[in-house]
Amino acid sequence: RVIVDDIMTHPYWTPYKELAAKAGLAACWSEPIRSSFGQVLGTFAIYQREVHSPAAFEISLIEKAVHLVSIAIERKRAEEALRASEQEFRTLAENLPELLIRYDRDGRRTYVSPAMERAFSVPTEQLIGKTLREVNPTGMAMPETYQRALEHTLATGERSEFEVQIPLPDGNMRTGLCFIVAERAADGRISGAIAVSRDISERKRMENEIRRRERKFRSLAENSPDPIFRYDHDCRRLYANPASSIMSGHPVESLVGATPGDGHLLGADDAARLEAGIRRVFDSGEPGSVDVASVDRDGRPREYQVLLVPEPGDQGKVETVLGLAHDTTAIRDAERRMTDFVANLPGFAFTFRLSPEGHCSFPFASPGVENLAGLKPADVKNDWAPALALVHPDDVPHIITKMTESVRTMTPHELEIRVCRPGLPVRWIEIHSIPLRQADGSILWHGIMLDVDERKRNEAELERHRHHLEKLVEDRTQALSIAKETAEAATRAKSQFLAAASHDLRQPLQAIRLFNDALSMTGLGEVQNKISSNLSKSVNSLGELLNQLLDLSRLDAGMIEPQPVVIQAGDLLGVIGAEFDAVSREKSLSLNLFCPQQGLKLFSDYNLLLTLLRNLVSNAVKYTARGGVLVSIRQRGDRALIQVWDTGIGISPEQTDSIFEEYFQIGNPERARVKGVGLGLSIVKRLSKLLDIGVRVRSREGKGSVFELNVPLANEPEMHATPPATSASPECDLMGKRIVVIEDDAIVAKAIEFSLEMEGAQVILFGTAEDALGSAETMGADYYISDYRLPGMDGLRLLDAIQRHSTGQIKGVVLTGNTSPEQIALMQSSRWKVLIKPVDLSMLLTAMAL
Ligand code: ADP
C-alpha cells in the first residue's frame, strides 16, 4: 500500500508533479488488487485535492473497495477463460480425425463431433440428448462392448480403453480404438464422460496384411527346397528355413542367431564375401548376389548362388536382408562340362551376328577357331571378313543362300563348306546353328563348326564302295534271274517229261494189264495162276506210281476243282477199311477204325479227301512192321479231326518237314525195300492245301507217327455224296456186243481185243481214224473205244465225227496216256468219257456200263 499525502513533495511523483498540479491532485492513496490466490491483478487508487493523510475508516473503505474489485475482476476472467476453453474444445473436437462424444452422467450425448456425421451419415441433431440404448431412427447401433464400457466409466470414473467393430450403414465394418474418460465437477463428482474413438481399420488392415505376408513368407520359406535365411544388421541369421537344415545337416536352432562367419556352413573367404554382400544390401537398399561353396550333409561339395534381397520397414529403411540360396552345383557342372566340351570340340562354338545394317561378325568364338581357321577370336569379333576370306570361293554363294533362308524361316540351318588356308590342304567344315531374333533387330546364330574332313573322306570312300556293291548286287541279281529262269524252264521240262513219260509208259502197261486179264481167263493151272496174279500186282504197283505222278502234275497245273459234298465219316472209314484190310492182315497188323460220334458228317471233296487219306493209311501200313494202324474221326469244335496213327518206325524231328517234299524218302535201308518214290506226301500236302484241311504230323522215332487233318463239318444235310463204288465189279454183259476199237498201237489194240473177246464181245479194230471213218463196219456199233493220240485226228474228234454220221446217240470212251495239264483240261471239257491209261478191264467195263 502506498500513501502519498503530498504529491508536490513525494519523490515517487517528482517526474509527474506538473501534470498532477494541472489536474489539481494533491494526495494519492493506492492499494494492490489481489486474486484469491494472492496474485496481483492491478492497483486501486484514490486521489485527494487537499494534502491529506487517510484516517482509519478511510483505509478500511479502500480495502473493501479493493476486495470487491478483485472479485469482479476474477469472475470476469473466469468467464472469459471458460468461453475460451469451450471454444478450444470445440475447435479441437471439430478438427480431430477422431470421433469425440460427450455424455452427461445419465449417458445422454451432450456433444457429438462432426466427424461422427461424416463417418456414419447420421445428422448430429438426431444423436444429441439421446442415450445409446434409445432407439435410433437411423438404425445405427453401437456394440455392446461400447455400451458396457461407458456405463463402467460413468459408474466408477475409471478410464476404459478397447477396440470395437463398428458396422457402417454401407455394410462395411470399421475397427475403432476407443477411450472413455470420466468428467468430474469441481466437487469431484462424476459429471459425465468423454469418448474418443479412433478409426484404426487401416492400421488393422496393414497389421493383418503384414501378418498374412509373414505367414505367406513362412509357408514359402518352410516349403522351399532351397535354403533361405534372414539377416539382421549384424549379419546374424534371424531365420533359417528347414531346407537349410536338411541340406547342411545342422539343426535350424544352431543356424539361427549365428552369422555366416560362424564356420557352420561356409569357409572363411566365402563367409566374408557373403557378409560384405549383406552389408552392401543394407547400405544401398539394392538387391545383390554372392556365389558360395558349401558341403552338404553327406559331405558332397555344393555350390550356391545366394540372392540377397532387401526387406524395407515402414520408413523405407532396410530392416532385414533375405538370403535366397539357389543350388547351382548342377548348372556349374554343366557349365564346366560345356566349357570342356567347347574347348575339346574338333572345331569351335560361336555366336554369329547379322546386324540390322547387314554387318556380320562373330561376337563370340571359342578358342578352337584358331585350330580350325588359324584365326584368333578377336580377329573376327567385330567383322567376319577374315573368316570369309578363307572360305572356298565356290562355297560362298552357298553360305549366303543358307543364311538368307535361315533369316526368312528362322529355323536352324546346317551346311558344309570348304576352308582353304594358305599352304594347307583344303578341309571340309560342317556348320550347325540356330537363329534368334534380337530386340535391336539383329539376328544371332548360336552354333558350332566342326572339322569333318576325315568323315568326308570316309564318305567318299564309302560311296565308292557302295557303287561297287551296287554293281555286284546288280550282277548277282542278273545271275539269279537267269538261274531262276533256268529252274523254271527245268520245272516246265519236268512237267512235260512226266506227261510224255507217263503216256509212253502207260501204253505197254495197258497192254500187259489187258493181256494178263485175258490170260487169267484162259483156264490156267495153279502155278500159272500165281504168276498171273503176281504179274497183276506188279502192274498195279507200276500203275499206282504212274497215277501218283499224274495226280501231282494235275495238282500242280491247278486243274483240280474241289467239289465239296456232305460225307458220312462212317462211310469214309468203311472204304478205307475195305481197301486196307487185306494188306494189313498180310503184314499181321491190326487195322482199327474209330468214329465215336454216330452220324458225324464232313463237308469236303469226297474223292480228293479219300485219295489223301489213302496215301496216309498206305504209308502207315507201309512203315509199320508190328502193332497196327488206327484211323479215327472225331469232332473238334466245328471241325472234324482225322488222325492216322501207326506204331511204326516213326520220323525224326529234323525230317518231319522234309517228308512232304517231292521224291523225298528217308535214306533208310529198311525203307529202300518198300515201294514208293516219295510222292505220296507231296500229294497229301497239295491236296490238304486245296481242301484247306491242313496236315500235321507228330512222331517219335521207333514208336510211331500220327498224321492229322482238320476237315470242316457239314451243316447242310441234303448235300449227300453217293460214294462211288470203288471196287464194284462191273455188272456188264458184253456177250454179242459189237465194239469198235481205234488204236494205233498194235499191241495195245490186240490186248483190248483179247480181253473184250474174252467177255464174249465182237471187236472191230482200226489203226487210224481215217480207216475207221472210211469203213462201213464202223457205224451202228454198240460201243466205241478210241485212243486219243491217233495219226491225223485225235480220239475226241474221231468220236465227234462218228457221232455226226450216226443216227442215234453213240456210246464211246477215249483212252489217253498224255497227262499234261493242257491235255487234261481239254479232255475234261469234252462230251466223251476219258480214261487215263493204264486201264484194266474192269475200269473199261465200268466206263462202258453196257
Ligand atoms: P514214299 O513213297 O516214300 O512213301 P511219301 O511222300 O509218302 O513217299 O513219304 C515220304 C517219306 O516219309 C517216306 O519215304 C518215309 O520215309 C516217310 N514217312 C511217310 N509216312 C510215314 C510213316 N507213317 N511212318 C514213318 N515214316 C513215314
Side-chain angles (χ1 to χ4, degrees), residues 278-406:
I278 295 169
R279 281 194 203 95
R280 258 199 309 280
V281 176
F282 271 115
D283 295 345
S284 67
E286 296 292 322
S289 91
V290 176
D291 287 338
V292 293
S294 184
V295 174
D296 70 10
R297 59 192 308 170
D298 302 320
R300 280 181 310 215
R302 308 240 66 132
E303 289 174 69
Y304 293 96
Q305 183 184 49
V306 186
L307 206 65
L308 297 169
V309 184
E311 291 188 299
D314 283 349
Q315 268 71 52
K317 253 190 74 199
V318 181
E319 281 181 355
T320 49
V321 167
L322 219 50
L324 310 166
H326 180 56
D327 188 342
T328 54
T329 316
I331 297 173
R332 298 282 182 257
D333 277 354
E335 274 173 8
R336 272 191 290 276
R337 273 202 300 275
M338 191 66 199
T339 316
D340 281 358
F341 170 71
V342 167
N344 293 310
L345 268 184
F348 70 99
F350 66 84
T351 303
F352 180 79
R353 180 170 188 268
L354 172 66
S355 79
E357 300 76 40
H359 182 76
C360 298
S361 58
F362 287 95
F364 166 77
S366 70
V369 67
E370 181 147 17
N371 274 339
L372 207 70
L375 295 170
K376 296 222 180 318
D379 298 340
V380 287
K381 194 172 175 60
N382 299 315
D383 196 349
W384 73 326
L388 189 62
L390 299 177
V391 176
H392 191 291
D394 291 353
D395 294 342
V396 174
H398 192 36
I399 295 183
I400 306 295
T401 318
K402 280 278 183 176
M403 214 158 85
T404 320
E405 193 183 306
S406 186

Side-chain angles (χ1 to χ4, degrees), residues 545 548 615-624 644-652 655 658-668 671 674-684 697 699 704-707:
L545 178 70
Q548 285 193 348
N615 271 300
L616 293 179
V617 179
S618 135
N619 275 350
V621 173
K622 225 191 313 179
Y623 298 110
T624 304
V644 179
W645 300 83
D646 68 57
T647 55
I649 56 173
I651 307 152
S652 72
Q655 281 164 326
S658 320
I659 53 170
F660 290 97
E661 285 166 21
E662 286 164 45
Y663 310 111
F664 180 87
Q665 284 186 297
I666 297 168
N668 178 317
R671 292 173 180 195
V674 297
K675 67 167 187 172
V677 288
L679 285 180
L681 289 183
S682 325
I683 293 170
V684 164
V697 59
S699 185
S705 316
V706 55
F707 286 78

Side-chain angles (χ1 to χ4, degrees), residues 734 737-741 756 761-765 781-785 848 850:
L734 290 189
K737 292 280 167 3
R738 214 157 67 84
I739 301 175
V740 171
V741 176
L756 291 178
Q762 182 203 345
V763 178
I764 304 131
L765 272 182
D782 292 303
Y783 211 85
Y784 297 86
I785 300 175
M848 288 162 68
L850 278 171

Side-chain angles (χ1 to χ4, degrees), residues 239-256:
Y239 169 80
N241 73 341
S244 62
S245 156
I246 293 168
M247 300 286 264
S248 64
H250 294 288
V252 167
E253 305 79 62
S254 76
L255 297 174
V256 171

